[in-house]
């Protein structure tokens, strides 16, 4: 946990570092570490009675509770740790305006949100990867600008919102988009220790705390007091720390060598290196500060693909730092980065020693090969063939669930939504007014103004006049893949194309914020290879290891899909499913195999499941069984070669050319 501890302390010293994202498996005390930080932060002085924690020495000129009397006595309180629940609404985060009073009385009745409560403190988001994207965007924008804005129907409120942002997540439950990862200053990976002695000490301390919480806290009080004093001293030293040109050149050279997008990484590394120097009690940034800053600020910014794991090549980092340090201080702009003989030629993950967190990729491949070599030694009626590699992914056509849903926000199917999207109509509010439809409200109130005695100055409104917006946007879905891994699909080139198609659909699901699940069927059974999850990375890994061979129990695969979707409807009734069956439509295992598969498909259709069959049949003679299966599912059939988005464009182009050709033939005739 050393990296996590250091990252939290550096942000405590310099909140401009930009916060911390903590990635790790469950049960690793991520939340405990974050909550412990608040007790180490110095207390703050606030304007007495201000709901926005304004600093008496420099009150916010735009504070809704202002203007403040700087001569009034100040109050002092502990630094707050504000926790953001997963199901939080936008109004709870930024605060809400009483629109009825604002329109009828002209009063700005503003109720502060969690951003106001977190000002000059810590904002902690547990399971940040499960938060809706638009809420994460809102939080990160506020953290970057240091200010929160509330704009509703011409009524505007803004206030300062500077806080230390900390998020925790379990990657198994889904990833953040790379654009959102980039907005966190630092990212650390945490895992439980595998050393029995250390694990025993953790258990021992926890039991001691449970037995005597006050005595346990007293035992560590002096160390915590010393740590808090060191944070205060580092904050005081921070303005005096010098970031020299050699250190700055190392920072920019490292960012250029690792090809990170934009310049945010350079700025974050510079601020982190300065904070490291202040934490160490120094007034000058060293090369070791730059190295540590790179290890904390760069791994999550190197992702180029949704399935890439964060990581940093340590050997390449060392070579870049050494090369930059060896350059002439007076070198021109062309000398400020790795040259043609720089680190990309050595020390990469393909080098002799691997190095860094990129190295496990060849190891994973080796483990797969090891499994393949041992496979023939196992006796089985239909031994699986070696797993075929997936073809390169591509952009797929959009597959949607028909109708209008009400599920979690996303980018796939049409849905009613409380945020995002566009307004389609106005309606009477059923509860508290959330999004006022101004034109419809005025239109509803206008015919009654004479009867209400309007004197020409203000619009006289009543509760029944108010109308709110009904918005339509996009939702995320549960995309359940049912993949045929039987002998009829076992041709290596064919299975490679099938895996490439499924991988492309997985990438599409990642971009559209869907949950995904995967069922595979071969031999005599169907297996839930991946229970529904938000982690498409796990789905890609299971797909890569998928063996093929044996009979084709199509009915078993469809029945397993029926049962999986039944359970998911109980867990998450608002999320609509999309069933994607990847098969050639064949069913083997007896004379009843095909009729059983058709009955299973009809059962799914009766359940109202939206379905798409990706037809993998190839060759000059086609039986059309996949298309028949799609009819029984009441769904759509898509040929494998037509799944790519480009193929739709080519199809339209071919039709246009065909129509033009026919027209020319008619003119010639």
């Amino acid at each position: 946990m050393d990296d996590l501890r250091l990252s939290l302390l550096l942000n405590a010293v310099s909140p401009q570092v930009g916060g911390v994202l903590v990635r790790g498996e469950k049960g690793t005390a991520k939340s405990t570490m974050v909550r412990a930080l608040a007790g180490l932060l110095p207390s703050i002085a606030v304007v007495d009675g201000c709901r926005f924690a304004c600093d008496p020495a420099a009150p916010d000129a735009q504070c809704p509770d202002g203007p403040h009397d700087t001569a009034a006595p100040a109050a002092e309180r502990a630094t707050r740790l504000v926790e953001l629940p997963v199901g939080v609404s936008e109004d709870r985060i930024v605060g809400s305006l009483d629109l009825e009073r604002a329109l009828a009385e002209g009063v700005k009745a503003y109720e502060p949100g969690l951003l106001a409560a977190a000002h000059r403190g810590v904002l902690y988001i547990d399971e940040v990867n499960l938060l809706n994207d638009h809420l994460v965007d809102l939080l990160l924008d506020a953290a970057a600008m240091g200010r929160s804005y509330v704009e509703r129907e011409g009524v505007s409120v803004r206030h300062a919102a500077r806080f230390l942002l900390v998020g925790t997540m379990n990657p198994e439950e889904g990833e953040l988009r790379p654009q959102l990862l980039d907005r966190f200053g630092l990212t650390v990976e945490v895992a439980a220790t595998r050393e029995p002695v250390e694990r025993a000490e953790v258990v021992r301390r926890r039991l001691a705390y449970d037995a005597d919480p006050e005595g346990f806290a007293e035992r560590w009080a002096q160390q915590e007091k010393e740590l808090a004093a060191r944070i205060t001293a580092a904050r005081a030293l921070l303005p005096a720390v010098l970031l020299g040109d050699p250190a700055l050149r190392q920072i920019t050279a490292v960012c250029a060598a690792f090809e990170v997008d934009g310049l945010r990484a350079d700025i974050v590394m510079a601020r982190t290196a300065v904070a490291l120097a202040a934490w160490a009690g120094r007034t000058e940034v060293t090369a070791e500060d730059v190295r540590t800053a790179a290890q904390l600020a760069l791994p999550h910014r190197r992702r180029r693909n949704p399935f890439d794991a964060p990581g940093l090549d340590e050997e390449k980092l060392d070579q870049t730092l050494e090369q930059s340090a060896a350059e002439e201080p007076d070198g021109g702009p062309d000398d400020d980065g790795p040259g043609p003989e720089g680190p990309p030629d050595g020390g990469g993950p393909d080098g002799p020693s691997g190095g860094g967190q990129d190295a496990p990729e060849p190891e994973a491949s080796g483990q797969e090969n090891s499994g393949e070599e041992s496979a023939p030694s196992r006796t089985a009626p239909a031994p699986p063939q070696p797993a075929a590699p997936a073809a390169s992914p591509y952009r797929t056509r959009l597959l949607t669930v028909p109708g209008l849903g009400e599920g979690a926000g996303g980018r796939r199917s049409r849905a009613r939504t409380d945020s995002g999207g566009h307004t389609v109509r106005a309606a009477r509010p059923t509860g508290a007014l959330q999004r006022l439809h101004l034109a419809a409200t005025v239109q509803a109130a206008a015919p009654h103004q004479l009867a209400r005695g309007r004197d020409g100055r203000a619009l006289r409104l009543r509760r029944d006049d108010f109308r709110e917006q009904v918005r339509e946007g996009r939702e995320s879905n549960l995309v359940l893949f049912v993949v045929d891994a039987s002998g009829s699909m076992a041709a290596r080139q064919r299975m490679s194309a099938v895996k490439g198609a499924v991988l492309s659909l997985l990438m599409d699901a990642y971009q559209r914020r869907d949950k995904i699940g995967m069922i595979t069927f071969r031999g005599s059974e169907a297996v839930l290879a991946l229970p529904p999850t938000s982690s498409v990375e796990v789905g890609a890994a299971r797909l890569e290891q998928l063996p093929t061979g044996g009979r084709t129990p199509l009915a078993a695969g469809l029945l397993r899909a029926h049962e999986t979707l039944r359970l998911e409807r109980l867990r998450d009734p608002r999320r609509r499913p999309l069933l994607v069956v990847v098969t050639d439509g064949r069913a083997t295992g007896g004379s009843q195999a095909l009729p059983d598969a058709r009955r299973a498909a009809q059962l799914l259709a009766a359940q109202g499941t939206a379905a798409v069959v990706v037809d993998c049949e190839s060759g000059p003679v086609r039986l059309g069984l996949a298309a028949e299966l799609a009819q029984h599912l009441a769904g759509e059939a898509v040929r494998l070669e037509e799944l790519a988005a480009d193929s739709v464009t080519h199809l339209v182009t071919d039709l246009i050319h065909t129509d033009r050709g026919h027209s020319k033939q008619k003119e010639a005739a």
Side-chain angles (χ1 to χ4, degrees):
M1 309 291 280
D2 291 341
D3 284 348
L4 174 55
R5 181 177 184 273
L6 178 61
S7 296
L8 292 172
L9 290 171
L10 292 178
N11 274 272
V13 171
S14 176
Q16 288 186 327
V17 166
V20 187
L21 176 65
V22 188
R23 298 163 45 92
E25 58 194 24
K26 56 186 177 292
T28 49
K30 300 185 296 291
S31 300
T32 303
M33 288 278 285
V34 174
R35 294 187 180 103
L37 176 67
L40 300 174
L41 298 177
S43 59
I44 59 173
V46 297
V47 174
D48 192 19
C50 177
R51 297 174 296 169
F52 301 86
C54 278
D55 186 351
D60 180 16
Q62 296 179 319
C63 177
D65 286 355
H68 297 300
D69 182 7
T70 55
E76 187 169 319
R77 64 166 174 80
T79 300
R80 288 176 179 168
L81 172 72
V82 177
E83 296 193 38
L84 198 76
V86 172
V88 70
S89 66
E90 181 178 344
D91 284 344
R92 185 72 185 94
I93 293 175
V94 299
S96 58
L97 290 170
D98 189 333
L99 294 176
E100 297 180 33
R101 291 188 62 193
L103 287 176
E105 305 173 26
V107 176
K108 286 187 181 180
Y110 175 67
E111 182 65 27
L114 295 176
L115 290 181
H119 178 47
R120 303 176 67 197
V122 181
L123 182 63
Y124 171 46
I125 313 171
D126 193 15
E127 307 293 352
V128 63
N129 53 327
L130 303 183
L131 205 61
N132 284 338
D133 282 352
H134 77 283
L135 297 181
V136 178
D137 285 330
L138 186 153
L139 288 166
L140 294 176
D141 284 343
M145 295 185 295
R147 189 162 291 276
S148 175
Y149 299 86
V150 183
E151 304 282 349
R152 293 288 176 84
E153 306 297 342
V155 181
S156 175
V157 173
R158 59 192 62 191
H159 63 83
R162 293 183 296 274
F163 47 82
L164 168 55
L165 179 65
V166 183
T168 58
M169 59 176 283
N170 183 352
E172 295 177 356
E173 298 173 342
E175 283 284 359
L176 280 173
R177 288 179 291 149
Q179 298 92 326
L180 299 181
L181 281 173
D182 185 53
R183 301 300 294 273
F184 281 94
L186 310 179
T187 295
V188 292
E189 300 275 344
V190 298
T193 176
R194 299 297 185 256
E195 292 293 332
V197 175
E198 292 182 354
R199 296 174 74 97
E201 180 63 18
V202 172
V203 175
R204 188 178 297 112
R205 291 189 187 183
R206 177 54 195 257
L207 294 178
Y209 173 80
D210 291 340
D212 182 11
E214 293 184 1
F216 185 87
E218 181 65 26
R219 192 187 316 164
W220 297 95
Q222 182 59 33
Q223 292 189 27
E224 290 195 355
K225 184 177 180 180
E226 293 173 357
L227 194 57
R230 187 176 173 186
I231 292 174
T232 302
R235 282 186 173 185
L237 183 61
L238 190 69
V241 176
L242 173 66
L243 177 65
D245 286 343
L248 182 56
R249 280 198 303 272
Q250 285 185 317
I251 289 171
T252 55
V254 167
C255 291
F258 283 99
E259 299 179 352
V260 295
D261 296 332
L263 293 172
R264 183 176 284 119
D266 305 62
I267 297 172
V268 170
M269 272 190 64
R271 291 172 174 169
T272 305
V274 170
L276 280 163
W279 178 247
R282 290 182 274 102
T283 57
E284 188 170 354
V285 173
T286 65
E288 187 59 30
D289 293 332
V290 174
R291 187 181 192 280
T292 304
Q295 292 172 326
L296 298 175
L298 293 188
H300 62 296
R301 293 186 164 91
R302 297 192 59 244
R303 297 183 67 187
R304 292 290 182 270
N305 186 294
F307 308 127
D308 290 343
L312 198 67
D313 185 344
E314 301 281 349
E315 187 174 346
K316 181 176 179 179
L317 173 61
D318 290 338
Q319 289 187 356
T320 305
L321 290 172
E322 290 174 5
Q323 180 184 357
S324 179
E327 290 178 351
E328 290 294 332
D330 298 328
D334 294 336
D335 296 328
D336 286 342
E341 298 179 3
D345 294 335
D350 298 328
S353 61
Q357 297 179 27
D358 291 339
E361 183 176 334
E363 293 177 12
S365 176
Q367 290 170 1
E368 182 184 22
N369 292 336
S370 176
E372 292 173 10
E373 292 172 3
S374 61
S377 64
R378 294 190 294 266
T379 59
Q385 299 183 14
S392 299
Y394 48 82
R395 188 169 64 90
T396 64
R397 57 182 291 189
L398 174 60
L399 306 177
T400 62
V401 178
L404 195 65
E406 296 181 345
R411 300 180 179 181
R412 184 170 297 277
S413 305
R414 293 175 54 223
R416 299 183 186 91
T417 179
D418 294 331
S419 59
H422 59 280
T423 302
V424 293
R425 60 186 177 88
R428 293 178 183 271
T430 55
L433 182 64
Q434 298 294 332
R435 291 186 174 274
L436 179 74
H437 196 301
L438 183 59
T441 299
V442 173
Q443 187 177 7
H448 309 290
Q449 294 306 298
L450 288 178
R452 295 175 184 173
R454 181 187 177 190
D455 56 7
R457 289 178 297 176
L459 190 67
R460 294 183 177 270
L461 298 172
R462 294 180 180 174
R463 174 66 183 175
D464 291 342
D465 297 330
F466 287 96
R467 301 291 185 271
E468 66 180 3
Q469 303 173 15
V470 177
R471 304 177 70 85
E472 183 177 308
R474 293 278 173 177
E475 67 175 359
S476 62
N477 299 108
L478 166 60
V479 182
L480 181 62
F481 295 93
V482 180
V483 182
D484 187 347
S486 64
S488 65
M489 305 281 288
R492 193 167 182 83
Q493 185 175 0
R494 184 180 180 191
M495 197 62 200
S496 178
V498 169
K499 284 188 176 182
V502 178
L503 187 65
S504 303
L505 290 168
L506 282 172
M507 185 177 295
D508 182 69
Y510 169 85
Q511 294 169 342
R512 301 189 186 280
R513 315 307 291 161
D514 296 317
K515 289 181 68 174
I516 58 118
M518 186 182 300
I519 293 171
T520 62
F521 58 93
R522 58 173 296 274
S524 60
E525 63 178 354
V527 177
L528 182 60
L530 180 67
T533 176
S534 297
S535 178
V536 296
E537 292 84 353
V538 178
R542 301 286 170 84
L543 178 70
E544 190 67 26
Q545 300 166 2
L546 179 65
T548 58
R551 293 185 299 175
T552 312
L554 178 58
L558 297 175
L559 290 174
R560 190 62 182 265
H562 177 272
E563 179 63 16
T564 301
L565 294 178
R566 184 186 70 82
L567 294 175
E568 282 303 307
R569 284 189 175 96
L570 296 176
R571 295 189 183 103
D572 191 357
R574 296 183 60 190
R575 190 183 294 269
R576 297 189 296 164
L578 174 63
L579 182 68
V580 179
V581 185
V582 184
T583 181
D584 57 10
R586 291 181 172 85
T588 59
S591 59
Q592 288 298 310
L594 195 56
D596 287 348
R598 290 169 177 168
R599 282 192 290 271
Q602 292 166 359
L603 183 63
L604 283 162
Q607 201 178 35
T609 304
V612 175
V613 178
V614 179
D615 185 358
C616 301
E617 191 175 26
S618 60
V621 178
R622 301 190 181 221
L623 302 178
L625 296 176
E628 290 184 18
L629 177 64
Q631 291 179 355
H632 290 291
L633 285 168
E636 177 187 5
V638 179
R639 295 268 291 274
L640 183 62
E641 58 269 25
E642 296 175 353
L643 188 61
D646 293 342
S647 67
V648 179
T649 305
H650 293 159
L651 179 63
V652 174
T653 303
D654 292 342
L655 289 173
I656 292 174
H657 289 324
T658 302
D659 291 341
R660 288 176 178 173
H662 290 323
S663 300
K664 289 181 179 179
Q665 291 177 1
K666 290 180 180 178
E667 291 175 1

